[in-house]
Amino acid sequence: MSLALTDLCRYPIVQAPMAGGVSRPELAAAVAEAGGIGFLAAGYKTADGMYNEVKQLRRMTGRPFGVNLFMPQPLVADPSAVEVYRHQLAGEAAWYETPLGDPESCGDDGYEAKVAILLEDPVPVVSFTFGCPTREVLAAFAAAGTYTVVTVTSAQEARNAQWAGADALCVQGTEAGGHQSTHRDDPQAGLDGTGLLALITEVRASVRIPVIAAGGLMRGSQITAVLAAGADAAQLGTAFLACPESGAHPLHKQALTNPLFVTTTLTRAFSGRPARGLVNRFVREHGPYAPAAYPQVHQLTSGLRRAAAKAEDAQGMALWAGQGHRLARELPAGELVGLLAAETEAARAAVSVRSAQ
């Protein structure tokens, strides 16, 4: 890793910023205290809500941590397609006895206000999802002493982020749980993507800045593999979902290893953007018909998801998870970081032994 990134953590382990209340201060603090980099997710929060979590996290740890921001999204969705989907979801609204949300109430997730707060009161790391900030914004963070990371899903996005002035890249393979962080959601591209190891190789051939690998990583041996492929650190999300410090719903945590949920898929069903989650009834019934309309579909289904969680109905919840979800371990986050670090070291040693033979 570059000197700046190395200084931030004892181990090359980054806890992914998972929006929706999962990556809360308790989780980020536990990971940071154990020697990794913990992240808060500012997505879907107000600017004040983000700042309050930052203040809470600072009271819990003096170690470096990060905050993730969603980039504003262009409103390019077809209104008629959103209206058709609204009608399709009418049965869900009746079943859960809750109204559908207003697709026009989306806004820009408070991006400008959040940037202003983080420039006025800097944190060690800021990462970005769903796009790349301007050169001016990244330069302002650099002047404030903040290390910046842009999430990418292609070599071209990586080149653009390097040109804009990002300090590092989070390279997200298609195996990753939650939303795919494509900078432009092309509905004609289909619901697929590039696997992590191939993507690391492509990005490494295109840019010179450090790479954090993300996508289905659950064990130290996998961390060793992505480090050998050219990554400087590994980012894990699903691996931390089951931790007691995670803010994920108990049903979400249980579903990771529940035999009822045997596979994951990329779907637009809950948000209008490709996101990987466990296949449940909602995904099967609505995924094939959901339009490319983020954040309009996210707004439409937000009440349904809350109602399903309140009713303890996992079949109607957005159960985001990576492809390695069945390897989830219900351990305290600090203990999990230590175990991952030990597994990584053991895998490295095993590779060295085999190479020497």
Side-chain angles (χ1 to χ4, degrees):
M1 289 184 283
S2 71
L3 180 60
L5 191 53
T6 303
D7 288 344
L8 294 172
C9 53
R10 188 185 324 152
Y11 306 122
I13 297 171
V14 180
Q15 165 247 312
M18 295 169 280
V22 178
S23 295
R24 58 185 183 175
E26 293 88 342
L27 178 60
V31 171
E33 286 292 302
I37 299 179
F39 257 92
L40 294 175
Y44 307 137
K45 290 186 173 68
T46 63
D48 286 343
M50 176 200 73
Y51 188 49
N52 287 333
E53 286 205 345
V54 169
K55 290 191 293 184
Q56 184 180 348
L57 179 52
R58 281 174 169 151
R59 290 193 294 267
M60 302 172 73
T61 182
R63 299 287 304 163
F65 63 90
V67 176
N68 176 260
L69 302 181
F70 283 178
M71 294 297 299
Q73 298 298 291
L75 300 180
V76 296
D78 179 357
S80 62
V82 175
E83 187 61 23
V84 168
Y85 196 55
R86 170 192 280 278
H87 285 295
Q88 181 177 335
L89 295 177
E92 299 285 349
W95 175 258
Y96 289 114
E97 298 180 339
T98 190
L100 295 172
D102 179 5
E104 302 306 319
S105 65
C106 33
D108 64 356
D109 202 51
Y111 174 75
E112 296 291 346
K114 291 171 183 176
V115 167
I117 288 172
L118 294 173
L119 288 175
E120 182 177 341
D121 190 2
V123 299
V125 186
V126 172
S127 68
F128 302 89
T129 295
F130 300 152
C132 182
T134 64
R135 288 173 67 93
E136 291 75 18
V137 167
L138 290 173
F141 275 115
T146 295
Y147 196 86
T148 55
V149 181
V150 173
T151 309
V152 301
T153 60
S154 71
Q156 184 59 57
E157 291 175 354
R159 288 189 290 270
N160 293 344
Q162 177 178 260
W163 177 86
D167 291 312
L169 305 170
C170 178
V171 175
Q172 184 195 49
T174 190
E175 305 93 335
H179 284 96
Q180 295 287 290
S181 187
T182 49
H183 292 189
R184 178 178 176 271
D185 181 19
D186 181 2
Q188 305 304 319
L191 295 178
D192 55 15
T194 305
L196 180 58
L197 289 177
L199 187 56
I200 292 172
T201 304
E202 291 179 15
V203 169
R204 266 289 174 226
S206 301
V207 301
R208 300 180 303 279
I209 57 179
V211 163
I212 301 168
L217 306 177
M218 303 291 290
R219 293 287 190 269
S221 57
Q222 294 172 299
I223 295 174
T224 299
V226 296
L227 295 178
D232 300 279
Q235 179 171 287
L236 295 81
T238 306
F240 288 103
L241 263 177
C243 295
E245 298 91 344
S246 156
H249 191 284
L251 284 180
H252 192 170
K253 295 182 181 185
Q254 295 165 15
L256 296 175
T257 53
N258 186 330
L260 286 174
F261 303 101
V262 298
T263 190
T264 66
T265 190
L266 287 171
T267 182
R268 298 183 189 273
F270 292 105
S271 73
R273 223 180 196 279
R276 183 172 297 281
L278 299 173
V279 177
N280 60 6
R281 177 194 61 78
F282 197 100
V283 170
R284 287 192 297 270
E285 293 183 1
H286 302 294
Y289 312 105
Y294 177 88
Q296 290 89 343
V297 171
H298 168 78
Q299 295 297 126
L300 266 181
T301 68
S302 59
L304 297 178
R305 288 176 276 127
R306 285 193 298 269
K310 185 176 181 180
E312 298 193 348
D313 180 10
Q315 295 295 336
M317 296 168 58
L319 304 173
W320 304 136
Q323 288 184 343
H325 65 96
R326 299 199 65 80
L327 296 172
R329 297 178 281 201
E330 193 175 343
L331 297 171
E335 185 176 333
L336 179 57
V337 170
L339 180 56
L340 289 167
E343 290 174 345
T344 302
E345 188 57 37
R348 280 174 162 171
V351 170
S352 297
V353 169
R354 287 195 294 268
S355 298
Q357 291 175 345

